[in-house]
Amino acid sequence: MHAGKITLYKGITGSGKTTLLMNQYQRWMDQGVASHQILVLLRNRRQSQLWKESIQPSYSAKLKLFSYFGFVQEELRKYWPLVQQEIPWQEYQRLEPVFMTIETSQSIMEQIVDEHRRRGKLLDVGAAQDRIAMELIHNLSKAAMGSVALDQIGEILYGTQGEQGKIPPLVYREIQEICDQYMEETLEKGVLDYGMTVYLYDRYLRNNKDYSALLRKQNAFMIVDDLEEAVPAEAALILDLLEGAKGSALTYNTDGEMTRALGACPELIEETIFPLCTQVELKECYTRGKHFKGMGGQIKNIIVFDKQPVETAIGCIELLEAELRSEMLNRLGEKVLTLLQDGVKPREIAVICPVADSVTEYTLRRQLEKGGYGVESIARNKRAIDQVYVKALVTMASIAHPQWDCYTNPEDLAVTISVILDIDPIRCHLLTKEIMKQRPYQLPPEQHIDEVVKRRIGQGPLKKYESLRRWLNDYMTGGIYDIEYFFQKFFGEVLIFLPHGEKQGIVCKQLIDSAGNFRMVMASLGNEGIDINRRFIDAIKKGMKTGESQEEIHHKRYCEDVILVTPYTYLSFGYQRKVQIWSDVLSEEWASSDVKALTNPYVFSPKWNPSQPWNDDTGAYFRKRKLGITVNRLINRCGERIIAAQSLYSKHGYEQEGLLGIELQGTCSKK
């Protein structure tokens, strides 16, 4: 029996569902319910910050705003002794588990993959080791979120191949062996990645009777936003908390889920949670222009089911066409500049592209600078190495520690020298060549630098160079230190005094924290110091991402410039702009496949039929479905105008036939 009313608000994007949840939260607070009794499950940190800015609890109130993973992580920390009692392979006792970042877990998996390949396994897989490691990590996390037995991952993947399987059965057995070894080595030390965190909570803590009773007592009230995005393991937790709750309020977006490839299973939600709720239908949309009403659904049906439109409203989308991508980007930039000069405010324009690439950003920025305007790239998680201060830290760490045997890219070295000495690219490349004369690279004394080069560089930059060289020499004669110590020291004594040093403090702190976490995890698994430092440098160079600070999220949410953003990030931030410009609509990347050589996120869903082989038609359906949902949601968050830009040829010179562009060609007004 359920003690309290369970209200489910169902509606399309922009129908006010989240606002209703916030109002319900405030009502409970006004009625005297303590905030620590109300559990709020949200999708991400961006939503969490929006809630913190919108609700008005007492200044001393404890807010319980969590993503599902954040909540599970917190609970494992608090009740780790209960879990350790249940794990049969636990090697030794910890006060709490050690949590890995995704990059750290991939580094560990890559080491195991390398070990197996050296023993002659996975020979039929042509992918690089880092790619294999990433896909196997994804398999483990999707299986854990889908409440699938982790020792059946290889079998499930093989079963979807059917008779036309391209990968031999032996490979899937080898995949399972690697996953088993990874789980054994990490779990026995209490070191957890995303998938293992969910697995242990769902299997060993959530089902503990004592814990379950305590969980309900501590969370008497519950709010869940975006229920359609919940993974099966989260759905099980929500069902547990609904049992006996004094009050619950949930929302469900009827436009469809965006994260099926990340584990969402709306069919399971509709089966298990809907029957328990009093459902409230919301039919209005407050974030789209009236002339767009019904248009998103029409385009979604065209894309997914090949249905023809029943109205002419689709003509509201304007199409910009060009043969070459460079021409398209120039026309796109000119269009944005014209809109701005016609009085549209920068913060009312979003350029939405399937992948946030540097060429699009550069072209758009160059065009807007003509009119004195700026553009902000809202990348979801930028690569750490793409940020110049991180590049400088990593490059200098490699030079200062030759014993780590890290390769230093000449281009990275040139950028680093340019930033620290504040000189132009030509002079910094001249100085870089002088540094590269020694192997491993070292900064030579000024008297050893070619006289012509010294005259070109100038006395001012040479003084800065000599100061940098002396700093490195002093550091290197002081002993061998761990990488996070070097980062702290180099930033605090060198980089912070540069013109933008203080502004870069958050990025550098994130890097230092990541290095500390990497060291802690690797040390827990028995790795040695030099190996840890070298592997962290490798992880950064291979594309380790940076997290988002609260300050960055706030800045992105309230940015006053034109924004350059991907569809997923636009929707996850809850942006609503008057003008949307969709870039590269003929690109296949608008409907890219989530299925890779060794991973298929869809087959780990509890609603997947294991006897159904995966084929091209199935893959095409899921690509179309994801694209249709994305486009529908984008339209429902546009106030006045949509412009679609396309080029016949891609950046690589190939003719493009992307689904979105093809479907729009016959329905848009062309300019």
Side-chain angles (χ1 to χ4, degrees):
M1 295 295 292
H2 296 277
K5 181 179 179 181
I6 305 171
T7 304
L8 174 67
Y9 297 105
K10 292 173 58 181
I12 63 175
T13 302
S15 56
K17 301 181 295 297
T18 299
T19 300
L20 288 169
L21 291 185
M22 290 179 177
N23 292 341
Q24 179 60 73
Y25 187 98
Q26 197 63 53
R27 281 196 297 273
W28 283 336
M29 295 285 290
D30 294 341
Q31 293 166 7
V33 177
S35 61
H36 67 263
Q37 291 185 297
I38 309 172
L39 174 63
V40 182
L41 291 178
L42 306 169
R43 289 305 101 203
N44 50 48
R45 294 177 64 202
R46 297 162 183 170
Q47 283 192 342
S48 178
Q49 187 183 59
L50 177 63
W51 273 71
K52 289 176 182 176
E53 294 169 356
S54 302
I55 59 180
Q56 300 175 346
S58 164
Y59 72 92
S60 61
K62 178 183 178 182
L63 302 180
K64 297 173 73 172
L65 309 175
F66 292 101
S67 66
Y68 169 65
F69 179 67
F71 176 77
V72 166
Q73 214 177 37
E74 183 75 11
E75 294 297 282
L76 282 180
R77 280 196 183 99
K78 289 194 295 187
Y79 300 104
W80 185 242
L82 287 177
V83 178
Q84 286 192 126
Q85 294 174 9
E86 302 293 332
I87 303 178
W89 57 84
Q90 187 74 29
E91 186 178 77
Y92 58 88
Q93 300 295 301
R94 284 187 179 278
L95 293 176
E96 63 177 42
V98 175
F99 294 104
M100 294 184 272
T101 63
I102 182 65
E103 290 79 18
T104 305
S105 63
Q106 287 174 5
S107 178
I108 295 169
M109 181 67 85
E110 187 176 344
Q111 189 177 34
I112 297 174
V113 169
D114 178 59
E115 174 190 325
H116 280 254
R117 277 196 148 178
R118 282 188 279 107
R119 284 164 30 198
K121 298 188 176 182
L122 298 181
L123 297 180
D124 293 296
V125 181
Q129 286 174 192
D130 57 344
R131 171 54 57 182
I132 295 173
M134 184 181 298
E135 293 185 15
L136 297 190
I137 289 292
H138 287 170
N139 286 336
L140 283 167
S141 63
K142 300 305 180 295
M145 290 185 290
S147 300
V148 171
L150 301 187
D151 60 356
Q152 295 179 12
I153 289 174
E155 182 180 338
I156 291 171
L157 288 171
Y158 175 67
T160 63
Q161 282 205 120
E163 295 180 358
Q164 304 300 318
K166 298 178 181 179
I167 299 179
L170 177 62
V171 170
Y172 291 99
R173 289 198 292 271
E174 292 169 349
I175 285 173
Q176 188 64 59
E177 289 175 11
I178 292 171
C179 289
D180 290 344
Q181 181 178 338
Y182 171 86
M183 287 187 287
E184 182 178 349
E185 290 184 6
T186 55
L187 288 178
E188 71 179 8
K189 302 288 179 59
V191 177
L192 311 180
D193 67 2
Y194 189 104
M196 296 305 97
T197 299
V198 171
Y199 168 73
L200 291 184
Y201 178 82
D202 191 50
R203 179 166 182 176
Y204 294 111
L205 191 54
R206 187 180 65 80
N207 290 317
N208 183 292
K209 291 183 179 179
D210 293 335
Y211 168 77
S212 184
L214 188 61
L215 180 70
R216 293 191 181 96
K217 182 179 179 181
Q218 292 178 340
N219 301 283
F221 297 82
M222 181 173 63
I223 283 174
V224 183
D225 205 359
D226 291 329
L227 186 60
E228 76 285 349
E229 309 292 354
V231 301
E234 180 181 3
L237 169 64
I238 292 170
L239 279 170
D240 287 348
L241 288 169
L242 289 176
E243 183 70 38
K246 295 179 180 179
S248 304
L250 311 93
T251 66
Y252 187 92
N253 193 319
T254 54
D255 280 347
E257 88 300 324
M258 295 191 301
T259 58
R260 185 178 293 268
L262 300 178
C265 187
E267 298 87 354
L268 182 67
I269 299 297
E270 293 174 8
E271 249 181 44
T272 58
I273 295 179
F274 273 30
L276 307 177
C277 304
T278 299
Q279 299 185 26
V280 178
E281 298 279 350
L282 306 173
K283 298 182 179 180
E284 293 296 323
C285 179
Y286 302 102
T287 56
R288 72 174 177 216
K290 292 182 180 179
H291 53 290
F292 287 136
K293 184 176 181 180
M295 194 175 91
Q298 287 188 56
I299 294 183
K300 177 182 175 182
N301 286 335
I302 292 171
I303 291 171
V304 182
F305 305 110
D306 295 323
K307 290 185 178 180
Q308 293 305 306
V310 295
E311 299 175 8
T312 59
I314 292 180
C316 295
I317 297 182
E318 175 186 334
L319 188 63
L320 293 179
E321 295 182 283
E323 279 204 1
L324 303 179
R325 187 171 189 266
S326 57
E327 180 188 352
M328 179 206 72
L329 292 177
N330 283 328
R331 291 194 64 191
L332 185 155
E334 291 168 359
K335 187 69 174 181
V336 174
L337 187 57
T338 300
L339 290 169
L340 294 168
Q341 293 170 342
D342 288 344
V344 180
K345 295 179 180 178
R347 73 174 318 275
E348 295 173 341
I349 301 175
V351 178
I352 303 173
C353 49
V355 176
D357 65 295
S358 57
V359 175
T360 301
E361 181 180 355
Y362 172 78
T363 305
L364 185 59
R365 192 179 304 281
R366 186 191 62 189
Q367 292 277 21
L368 298 193
E369 284 175 350
K370 296 177 183 177
Y373 299 102
V375 61
E376 181 79 19
S377 177
I378 313 293
R380 184 165 176 262
N381 279 314
K382 294 182 179 179
R383 296 196 321 160
I385 198 65
D386 291 336
Q387 302 180 69
V388 291
Y389 275 58
V390 170
K391 193 185 295 289
L393 285 171
V394 170
T395 301
M396 286 293 133
S398 300
I399 291 175
H401 303 89
Q403 68 274 16
W404 295 353
D405 194 25
C406 295
Y407 170 72
T408 302
N409 186 316
E411 289 299 319
D412 290 348
L413 179 56
V415 170
T416 299
I417 294 298
S418 177
V419 168
I420 296 176
L421 304 189
D422 191 23
I423 57 177
D424 58 80
I426 294 176
R427 288 187 292 170
C428 76
H429 275 94
L430 289 173
L431 190 52
T432 298
K433 288 182 179 179
E434 295 294 309
I435 296 171
M436 291 171 58
K437 287 179 179 178
Q438 301 182 65
R439 294 296 178 95
Y441 300 157
Q442 293 298 316
L443 275 61
E446 182 181 341
Q447 60 268 28
H448 293 171
I449 297 176
D450 184 272
E451 290 296 328
V452 175
V453 173
K454 285 197 290 186
R455 286 197 298 270
R456 292 284 302 275
I457 292 173
Q459 287 301 312
L462 278 176
K463 287 182 180 179
K464 293 180 182 178
Y465 168 82
E466 189 60 26
S467 176
L468 174 64
R469 189 190 68 81
R470 286 197 302 268
W471 189 96
L472 281 175
N473 283 348
D474 291 343
Y475 172 84
M476 293 171 71
T477 56
I480 298 175
Y481 301 101
D482 294 329
I483 192 167
E484 62 266 34
Y485 175 84
F486 174 84
F487 287 162
Q488 289 173 334
K489 189 173 179 64
F490 192 75
F491 175 77
E493 297 179 6
V494 178
L495 295 182
I496 197 170
F497 296 108
L498 299 181
H500 302 288
E502 290 188 13
K503 292 182 181 179
Q504 295 292 324
I506 293 174
V507 173
C508 293
K509 183 181 183 303
Q510 289 173 342
L511 184 70
I512 294 167
D513 291 344
S514 294
N517 176 265
F518 192 91
R519 169 168 299 285
M520 178 173 61
V521 170
M522 293 301 180
S524 298
L525 295 173
N527 288 273
E528 299 297 329
I530 290 178
D531 184 51
I532 292 173
N533 296 319
R534 180 172 52 246
R535 288 178 65 182
F536 183 74
I537 293 287
D538 288 343
I540 297 174
K541 290 180 177 179
K542 287 179 179 177
M544 176 181 282
K545 305 291 180 66
T546 57
E548 290 178 308
S549 67
Q550 294 294 339
E551 292 84 356
E552 287 176 308
I553 294 173
H554 184 273
H555 171 71
K556 291 176 181 179
R557 186 182 298 282
Y558 300 106
C559 176
E560 293 294 324
D561 290 325
V562 174
I563 59 172
L564 178 65
V565 63
T566 63
Y568 181 83
T569 303
Y570 182 92
L571 295 170
S572 67
F573 260 109
Y575 285 126
Q576 193 272 335
R577 295 292 188 264
K578 285 186 178 180
V579 180
Q580 292 180 5
I581 300 178
W582 301 350
S583 177
D584 289 293
V585 294
L586 267 177
S587 170
E588 292 283 358
E589 290 173 325
W590 273 91
S592 60
S593 175
D594 297 301
V595 179
K596 309 301 179 186
L598 299 178
T599 186
N600 185 336
Y602 301 104
V603 302
F604 295 113
S605 168
K607 305 306 292 182
W608 176 260
N609 180 358
S611 63
Q612 176 184 348
W614 185 271
N615 54 39
D616 291 342
D617 289 340
T618 308
Y621 168 76
F622 278 108
R623 289 198 305 275
K624 288 181 177 181
R625 191 178 189 281
K626 183 175 71 170
L627 176 61
I629 289 171
T630 299
V631 170
N632 185 20
R633 283 192 162 194
L634 287 176
I635 292 172
N636 284 339
R637 285 200 171 275
C638 184
E640 293 182 0
R641 190 174 181 183
I642 296 174
I643 301 165
Q646 68 178 32
S647 62
L648 179 60
Y649 296 101
S650 72
K651 58 187 175 184
H652 301 297
Y654 299 113
E655 190 170 342
Q656 301 189 110
E657 296 181 335
L659 181 61
L660 177 58
I662 289 174
E663 298 294 359
L664 290 178
Q665 279 179 334
T667 56
C668 296
S669 59
K670 299 181 181 181
K671 299 289 182 180

